[in-house]
Amino acid sequence: MKPEEARARIQKLLVTGDSRLKQGVDPEKARESWEQALAVAREAGLEETVRPLIEVRLADLPPRG
């Protein structure tokens, strides 16, 4: 995946997760979107840039379990 494509995919996943949370969907669905964004970032070599954004979002979710 080209860096531009990866950035677009990451942005879409971040927005999807944000939207799910705002719409009252199960927080696990938002978590899934954000974790997918992190996986895409990792594969594209962008993890260091994206991880802080995702960690903030995940910290606001209730703990799993």
Side-chain angles (χ1 to χ4, degrees):
M1 182 179 303
K2 294 180 182 178
E4 307 85 43
E5 293 171 350
R7 284 185 187 94
R9 179 80 176 129
I10 291 164
Q11 182 177 7
K12 181 178 179 186
L13 287 164
L14 291 174
V15 170
T16 298
D18 292 346
S19 295
R20 286 177 168 170
L21 200 59
K22 289 177 186 173
Q23 293 170 1
V25 177
D26 181 5
E28 281 303 308
K29 292 292 185 182
R31 184 186 310 272
E32 288 173 16
S33 294
W34 296 331
E35 288 177 347
Q36 287 176 3
L38 187 56
V40 171
R42 191 173 294 124
E43 291 173 15
L46 302 169
E47 182 178 7
E48 293 301 317
T49 304
V50 175
R51 187 174 359 112
L53 300 172
I54 295 172
E55 286 177 348
V56 167
R57 286 170 165 86
L58 291 173
D60 288 339
L61 293 178
R64 283 184 169 158

